[in-house]
Amino acid sequence: MHSELGSLLPEPYNTTWSGPVAGKAGFMAAGRSISPLMLRGAGSEHAATSTLPAAFTDLLPHFLVEPEDEYIVKNKPVTLTCRSTPATQIYFKCNGEWVHQDDHLIERTIDPATALPIMQVKIDITRQQVEKVFGLDEYWCQCVAWSTTGTQKSQKAFIRIAYLRKNFEEEPQGKEVTLDQEVLLRCHPPEGVPPPEVEWQRNEDVLDPASDPNFFVTADHNLIIKQARLADTGNYTCAAKNIVARRKSPSATVVVYVNGGWSTWTTWSSCSAVCGRGWQKRSRSCTNPTPLNGGTSCEGQNVQKSACVATCPVDGGWSEWSKWSACGADCSMWRSRECTQPAPSTGGKDCQGLDLQSLNCTSLECPQSESPPLSTHGAPLQPFSTDGAEDVALYVGMVAVALCLTLLLIVVVLVYRRRKEGLDADVADSSILTTGFQPMGIKPTKPENSHLLTIQPDLTSTSTSYQGTLRSRHDTVGKFSMANGPLLDPLPNGSHTLHNGKLGADPGEFVSRLTAQGYFKTLPRDVDNTSYGTFNFLGGRLTLPNTGISLLIPPEAIPRGKIYEIYLTVQRKEDIRLPLAGCQTLLSPVVSCGPPGVVLTRPVILSMDHCSDACPENWAVRLKKQNYEGTWEDVLLMGEEHPSDPYYCQLEAETCRVFSEQMGRFALVGESLHMGAAKRLRLVLFSDAYCTTLEYNIRVYCMDDTQDVFKEVMQMERQLGGRLIDEPHLLLFKDSYHNLRLSIHDMPQAHWRSKLLAGYQEIPFYHIWNGSQRYLHCTFTLERLSLATCQLSCQLCVWQVEGEGQSFGLDFNIAKFLLMDSSSTALAGPSAFQIPYLIRQKICSSLDTPCPNGADWRMLAQRLKLDRHMSFFASNVSPTSVILDLWEAQHFHSGNINQLATVMADIGKQEAMIFLVSDGEC
């Protein structure tokens, strides 16, 4: 092989190796062919080819040093090194081309241990050479070593131009966070080769997550402060560096603030007046905790004053002197008096003077000592015996004690009987509260006129649903059972019961059956806020009057052959506590429909009011649902709905419509994204129905702008004898952490005056924002100067602290009031739909099939202004039926079926004429 290689080389290359030679050398191409580059500038003075000793002619060359990846910094060239043994020649090839022999620096040595020749070759690569390479390929070089036995190639070394751009792709942003809050600072370093290393600095000091576990740097270079501490306040900088340069991002200021909190109130001070009316006060300080680093100060007053009445001191007064006592053995008599008319009290002075007086008796009144009388025989007489008198006194004392004990016993018996009578009265009164809520084991008495329950329904009534035999409510006892699953067994003989949305003769029977189940124990026992009915595949509607809450059960939502007894109720806020955190607030009533777990083939539509403003960019609105364990879960985030989800929500200006394939307990919760978010509040004014005194009270309720809350307050005021005195007013309450203040001004001073001590009344921000407080109101006590005054005109001013306010003019007669709204009957059953069942089927079959010209369900959605829900409609088997369901839910009270026929005609479908189908066909 050596002879063959030697024959291919020109004369200057064919020499005999005779020891270490350093210098420029030519080379031979692999595969026994000569590169044109080898033949240029060849000289005999520096030969690159040598003959190996015979002992090493059968060895292939192996590399001791191979070229490594290098980076060109600015204009400084890099050097690649290749060392091999035993080798007769080593040359570099870069990007598929041989490097000129004059560019090689060759050095030859001998390994002292093995006596093998070692050849080392170096070349320099400049920035200009690398920049000449265009395209996706990178610049690379590798060396090839020859021996008499064969050739070997080294690994490829890639040469890249190092750089680091100036601008960060994402810079950290400053934040203000509360104590113990998690902080995320983002950083995307500038592009660079090699990729830059990132470190974080706080106030120019490098952060080390290993020494402080409260800091964590993610794989994408973001900094996380797990729990913000006061010491974490500072300027944070993201620094990126590589072999070329070092870049720093602008500093991001992180402020860890502490909001102020009130300490506990001190005890009330003593009354300022010694006698009569005065003031007393108590104070608190904003030190629990003290606001730091710009944290908000405490809202409210740090001093409270209260009127007090100090009892005036009463000086003691002497009673009358008692009668003089009999003259004593010391020839003196005495009399006394007591300091009891009146006795000194509340710091009054004691009586001055003596309480006991004595006086010497006259000589005639003093007792004289005489000798005992003599008997007729001259002996002294014996004194008369007193044993009989002592016995009489003893008997009299015993009788007096017996009389006292008898009187005491009589008093004890009378007190006991009186208390027992009061307890029995309490028990009797409390039993009234439980009437109508009998346990499931007690079967109500069958009504006398039970045969009337089999009468056919009156088809002329607008509230009748569909024909069928009615049966007694007592036959349904036990049919609703959750023990065997959520489904309700079908009624016997194909009969069904329909209650037109209101409770029957025994309303507590249905509610008690529900509340006996574990899941329904929190259902309200208020039958006025509960509606229920029995439904089959024809569907129907449940409505809670005057609440804005309804449940639409579309046709075919209940499987054919199944009959469900379905309820709809609104929960009281004090019964259900939603876990709200941060800026979250309750935007809707908590509504339950069920029973949960029933099988539905199509989604039902639950309609309820909400109180958010009309700016969806201000809110992150979530639909929450309570599971069987009682835990509230987020089932939907508005704006991120997925067509495959079992829930969908349409948020209108004042109403929320929830499409759900499952029944349960739902609520709408909003989280404000910035301080511009606002809730709609309703201000409602009430007063007493009859005012016979000079004092007059105005109660201003501040409630969420939903119909259910308004109805609840109406019911409570009706029970208290209150009357509505003005139309409700709308107010936008912003998430500014400021309290709500109310005041009354511009009253006619000649007829009215205010009895309030302060200029305004204040409702704390969080009591309003969390939405869970009931009956939030403040009372303004006014006084008229004459009973003949009945007209009142004034201004009600409402504003948030440091915010814009609103003023409402009031002008009313206190003897006249607005009428309360009356409840309407809730409808249920197929008659609740405006579109007859057969007509509905024809519309669906006509529009569900896609048309090339777009005259299908998509055009119907556009004409009804529902095109923003196209993706949801398309995810259903029958998009037209879902559109019609939504139309029914939106236009139950105001819908015009002729307008829907006009839309069908505009689409170009002849099916618009089907609205003229006779009632007999439907």
Side-chain angles (χ1 to χ4, degrees):
M1 181 178 182
H2 175 68
S3 59
E4 293 176 358
L5 290 172
S7 62
L8 292 173
L9 294 173
E11 185 64 25
Y13 288 77
N14 194 4
T15 58
T16 302
W17 178 77
S18 59
V21 177
K24 301 287 182 178
F27 62 94
M28 180 181 66
R32 301 177 182 176
S33 61
I34 302 301
S35 170
L37 191 60
M38 297 169 54
L39 302 179
R40 296 200 305 265
S44 59
E45 192 173 344
H46 302 287
T49 304
S50 60
T51 303
L52 293 174
F56 307 113
T57 56
D58 56 346
L59 295 177
L60 283 173
H62 70 276
F63 292 97
L64 303 176
V65 176
E66 297 185 68
E68 301 288 342
D69 294 345
E70 297 288 346
Y71 294 96
I72 297 178
V73 179
K74 298 181 179 179
N75 294 320
K76 184 179 179 181
V78 297
T79 301
L80 300 181
T81 302
C82 187
R83 184 187 302 167
S84 177
T85 182
T88 57
Q89 296 182 41
I90 300 177
Y91 295 101
F92 276 92
K93 177 187 285 188
C94 295
N95 276 41
E97 297 182 359
W98 293 103
V99 179
H100 195 277
Q101 63 180 0
D102 293 338
D103 296 332
H104 291 72
L105 180 62
I106 303 174
E107 180 181 351
R108 302 178 187 272
T109 58
I110 295 178
D111 188 352
T114 62
L116 289 176
I118 299 175
M119 179 179 288
Q120 176 176 288
V121 178
K122 296 181 179 181
I123 63 171
D124 292 335
I125 304 297
T126 64
R127 184 187 185 100
Q128 290 76 14
Q129 291 177 265
V130 176
E131 288 178 343
K132 289 180 180 179
V133 178
F134 297 97
L136 298 178
D137 294 335
E138 294 183 289
Y139 192 91
W140 59 269
C141 293
Q142 69 176 161
C143 58
V144 182
W146 283 266
S147 70
T148 56
T149 305
T151 62
Q152 287 281 42
K153 292 182 180 180
S154 70
Q155 65 181 9
K156 288 184 179 181
F158 292 91
I159 298 90
R160 303 176 179 90
I161 298 176
Y163 66 92
L164 182 63
R165 301 195 184 278
K166 293 183 178 181
N167 297 326
F168 280 73
E169 297 186 9
E170 185 176 7
E171 299 173 349
Q173 302 296 324
K175 294 186 177 181
E176 294 183 357
V177 297
T178 58
L179 196 66
D180 295 330
Q181 182 181 341
E182 184 180 86
V183 184
L184 173 62
L185 297 178
R186 298 184 179 276
C187 176
H188 196 168
E191 181 185 355
V193 174
E197 298 178 356
V198 175
E199 65 181 14
W200 283 89
Q201 299 176 356
R202 181 183 62 194
N203 299 333
E204 303 299 331
D205 296 330
V206 178
L207 296 177
D208 184 11
S211 59
D212 191 348
N214 195 42
F215 296 103
F216 177 73
V217 179
T218 63
D220 50 356
H221 310 301
N222 296 329
L223 176 64
I224 295 178
I225 305 175
K226 298 178 182 178
Q227 287 184 325
R229 304 161 296 191
L230 290 176
D232 294 329
T233 298
N235 297 320
Y236 287 78
T237 307
C238 179
K241 63 179 180 179
N242 64 3
I243 59 177
V244 179
R246 179 184 180 90
R247 312 287 187 206
K248 281 188 176 183
S249 69
S251 296
T253 302
V254 174
V255 177
V256 182
Y257 63 87
V258 179
N259 291 327
W262 288 115
S263 64
T264 57
W265 287 102
T266 60
T267 56
W268 287 101
S269 64
S270 58
C271 194
S272 60
V274 179
C275 177
R277 184 179 178 85
W279 300 96
Q280 60 181 163
K281 66 178 182 179
R282 62 177 182 175
S283 61
R284 58 180 178 175
S285 59
C286 190
T287 57
N288 188 29
T290 303
L292 295 174
N293 296 338
T296 57
S297 299
C298 302
E299 293 286 347
Q301 299 176 347
N302 62 341
V303 177
Q304 279 187 347
K305 289 185 178 181
S306 176
C308 60
V309 178
T311 305
C312 298
V314 178
D315 296 335
W318 290 114
S319 63
E320 294 293 332
W321 288 103
S322 65
K323 293 182 178 181
W324 288 102
S325 66
C327 192
D330 56 351
C331 199
S332 65
M333 56 184 178
W334 55 271
R335 66 176 181 176
S336 64
R337 59 179 179 176
E338 296 179 351
C339 190
T340 58
Q341 291 186 1
S345 62
T346 62
K349 298 179 180 179
D350 291 333
C351 299
Q352 301 294 323
L354 299 175
D355 60 348
L356 184 66
Q357 277 186 348
S358 63
L359 187 64
N360 292 331
C361 303
T362 62
S363 58
L364 296 178
E365 295 175 346
C366 290
Q368 302 294 326
S369 57
E370 299 178 351
S371 59
L374 299 176
S375 67
T376 58
H377 301 288
L381 294 174
Q382 298 294 328
F384 181 76
S385 175
T386 60
D387 292 343
E390 293 177 354
D391 292 341
V392 172
L394 177 61
Y395 294 148
V396 171
M398 292 177 63
V399 171
V401 171
L403 289 176
C404 292
L405 292 176
T406 303
L407 291 175
L408 180 61
L409 180 61
I410 292 173
V411 171
V412 171
V413 171
L414 290 176
V415 172
Y416 174 78
R417 293 184 63 184
R418 200 175 287 271
R419 289 187 177 179
K420 186 175 184 301
E421 290 173 0
L423 180 61
D424 293 341
D426 292 343
V427 174
D429 293 340
S430 64
S431 64
I432 297 175
L433 300 177
T434 59
T435 55
F437 299 101
Q438 303 174 2
M440 293 184 64
I442 300 177
K443 187 173 181 180
T445 305
K446 187 174 181 181
E448 296 178 0
N449 299 327
S450 60
H451 63 280
L452 297 178
L453 298 176
T454 59
I455 298 177
Q456 293 294 328
D458 184 7
L459 298 180
T460 61
S461 174
T462 58
S463 62
T464 304
S465 299
Y466 49 87
Q467 284 189 337
T469 59
L470 299 178
R471 59 187 181 84
S472 172
R473 290 293 300 148
H474 310 304
D475 296 339
T476 63
V477 175
K479 181 174 72 64
F480 187 88
S481 175
M482 292 299 294
N484 298 326
L487 298 183
L488 302 177
D489 299 330
L491 299 177
N493 302 326
S495 62
H496 52 266
T497 304
L498 187 61
H499 298 283
N500 295 330
K502 63 179 181 180
L503 300 179
D506 187 11
E509 187 267 340
F510 175 75
V511 177
S512 62
R513 287 192 293 117
L514 284 181
T515 54
Q517 308 297 330
Y519 180 81
F520 305 100
K521 288 182 178 178
T522 57
L523 284 178
R525 292 179 176 266
D526 185 4
V527 295
D528 292 336
N529 293 323
T530 302
S531 179
Y532 73 98
T534 306
F535 304 92
N536 62 3
F537 73 97
L538 294 176
R541 183 193 305 267
L542 291 176
T543 303
L544 298 180
N546 299 328
T547 63
I549 301 172
S550 64
L551 179 67
L552 182 74
I553 307 167
E556 306 294 342
I558 299 176
R560 290 179 178 263
K562 295 289 184 180
I563 298 177
Y564 295 158
E565 191 173 55
I566 297 176
Y567 67 86
L568 176 67
T569 184
V570 58
Q571 305 285 156
R572 294 188 180 272
K573 294 181 179 179
E574 68 271 18
D575 297 335
I576 302 295
R577 292 290 183 182
L578 270 77
L580 301 178
C583 300
Q584 290 184 342
T585 178
L586 185 62
L587 297 178
S588 74
V590 181
V591 181
S592 297
C593 59
V598 295
V599 176
L600 298 174
T601 57
R602 291 180 52 196
V604 297
I605 302 179
L606 177 64
S607 300
M608 53 186 176
D609 288 351
H610 69 87
C611 60
S612 68
D613 57 9
C615 300
E617 64 273 9
N618 294 341
W619 295 91
V621 181
R622 291 177 171 83
L623 179 67
K624 286 182 175 287
K625 181 177 182 292
Q626 191 178 31
N627 59 21
Y628 283 94
E629 289 76 18
T631 304
W632 286 92
E633 302 174 340
D634 293 342
V635 297
L636 180 66
L637 176 61
M638 294 290 295
E640 297 184 6
E641 302 92 342
H642 194 275
S644 62
D645 293 339
Y647 307 97
Y648 187 81
C649 187
Q650 182 201 18
L651 198 65
E652 301 173 3
E654 299 179 357
T655 307
C656 170
R657 310 200 186 273
V658 179
F659 293 78
S660 175
E661 298 176 4
Q662 302 174 4
M663 294 194 182
R665 185 168 294 152
F666 298 92
L668 205 65
V669 173
E671 181 177 3
S672 62
L673 301 180
H674 51 78
M675 297 178 67
K679 290 180 63 175
R680 295 193 326 274
L681 300 183
R682 186 181 299 187
L683 299 180
V684 188
L685 283 71
F686 289 91
S687 184
D688 297 332
Y690 305 101
C691 181
T692 58
T693 63
L694 295 177
E695 193 173 272
Y696 186 71
N697 294 320
I698 297 178
R699 294 182 292 276
V700 182
Y701 286 84
C702 179
M703 64 187 76
D704 292 345
D705 186 25
T706 57
Q707 298 182 52
D708 67 296
V709 181
F710 182 62
K711 176 184 177 182
E712 188 176 353
V713 173
M714 282 283 201
Q715 292 175 343
M716 186 197 68
E717 279 288 336
R718 186 183 292 114
Q719 296 173 359
L720 297 177
R723 292 295 183 268
L724 188 66
I725 61 176
D726 194 24
E727 294 291 342
H729 301 280
L730 184 65
L731 173 70
L732 291 179
F733 186 75
K734 293 186 178 181
D735 182 19
S736 61
Y737 297 97
H738 293 307
N739 299 341
L740 187 68
R741 291 180 177 177
L742 302 94
S743 63
I744 287 183
H745 303 277
D746 301 337
M747 290 185 300
Q749 299 297 325
H751 303 287
W752 293 89
R753 69 182 182 91
S754 175
K755 298 186 68 175
L756 295 179
L757 301 178
Y760 60 86
Q761 298 198 55
E762 193 170 77
I763 301 178
F765 169 82
Y766 288 103
H767 288 184
I768 301 176
W769 189 255
N770 61 18
S772 60
Q773 297 285 339
R774 294 182 66 200
Y775 310 141
L776 275 178
H777 73 282
C778 57
T779 301
F780 292 92
T781 303
L782 310 179
E783 187 177 29
R784 50 181 174 170
L785 303 183
S786 172
L787 289 175
T789 302
C790 293
Q791 196 69 26
L792 174 61
S793 60
C794 57
Q795 291 286 329
L796 174 65
C797 298
V798 185
W799 73 98
Q800 280 185 268
V801 181
E802 300 180 7
E804 298 180 358
Q806 294 178 252
S807 180
F808 308 105
L810 304 179
D811 189 0
F812 59 93
N813 191 305
I814 66 174
K816 299 179 181 179
F817 302 92
L818 299 178
L819 297 176
M820 299 278 191
D821 292 338
S822 59
S823 300
S824 60
T825 304
L827 299 179
S831 63
F833 300 103
Q834 298 196 47
I835 307 175
Y837 179 70
L838 294 181
I839 294 178
R840 175 192 181 93
Q841 287 184 320
K842 293 180 180 180
I843 296 177
C844 294
S845 61
S846 174
L847 297 182
D848 280 343
T849 304
C851 294
N853 59 355
D856 49 23
W857 63 268
R858 293 169 294 183
M859 185 174 292
L860 177 64
Q862 292 175 354
R863 296 300 174 87
L864 297 179
K865 299 180 180 180
L866 301 175
D867 48 330
R868 63 181 180 275
H869 308 293
M870 283 292 192
S871 59
F872 172 68
F873 297 148
S875 64
N876 289 269
V877 178
S878 175
T880 308
S881 63
V882 180
I883 296 174
L884 296 180
D885 293 343
L886 184 55
W887 185 86
E888 290 274 9
Q890 290 178 325
H891 302 88
F892 175 55
H893 297 289
S894 60
N896 189 343
I897 199 168
N898 293 328
Q899 294 179 353
L900 188 60
T902 304
V903 171
M904 292 291 297
D906 292 341
I907 295 177
K909 291 287 185 177
Q910 298 299 326
E911 287 78 6
M913 301 301 295
I914 65 179
F915 287 99
L916 302 179
V917 175
S918 64
D919 294 339
E921 182 180 355
C922 298

